[in-house]
Amino acid sequence: MSFQDKEIQCSECSNSFTFTAKEQEFFASKGYTNEPKRCPTCRQARRMDGGDRRGPRKMTATVCAECGQATEVPFEPRDDRPVYCATCYAKNRPNKTR
Ligand SMILES: [Zn+2]
Ligand SMILES: [Zn+2]
């Protein structure tokens, strides 16, 4: 079985790119039957914004149960649990061991 370079039009940016014989061979060896739909540039761009989501932690705005100040917490506050700002949290931290 031999492969030949093939021109494919990117479904994202509509630039044509070459699906090389080598890549086709690689695809075939992996058992992939689909041709790539996107040019390498778009594929990489997608990987960049899809894969590694290690951005800033999602903060939830809430109000401190103790001092009433607006604060943000790095978790989803639950109705049945009071949420404290950093200051009050430190103050109220239950049982300082010792
Ligand atoms: Zn593209
Ligand atoms: Zn507070």
Side-chain angles (χ1 to χ4, degrees), residues 64-69 84-89:
C64 173
E66 172 113 350
C67 67
Q69 266 194 48
Y84 302 107
C85 66
T87 315
C88 297
Y89 181 76

Side-chain angles (χ1 to χ4, degrees), residues 26-41:
F26 176 76
F27 263 54
S29 76
K30 293 276 183 190
Y32 300 151
T33 52
N34 294 330
E35 293 172 345
K37 290 203 172 61
R38 292 179 188 83
C39 69
T41 314

Side-chain angles (χ1 to χ4, degrees), residues 24-73:
Q24 291 175 52
E25 206 179 318
F26 176 76
F27 263 54
S29 76
K30 293 276 183 190
Y32 300 151
T33 52
N34 294 330
E35 293 172 345
K37 290 203 172 61
R38 292 179 188 83
C39 69
T41 314
C42 290
R43 257 178 278 161
Q44 208 180 13
R46 277 179 83 83
R47 207 173 311 158
M48 301 278 258
D49 73 31
D52 205 41
R53 275 202 195 281
R54 241 174 292 175
R57 278 237 244 176
K58 193 180 164 245
M59 300 294 281
T60 307
T62 186
V63 174
C64 173
E66 172 113 350
C67 67
Q69 266 194 48
T71 183
E72 286 188 325
V73 290

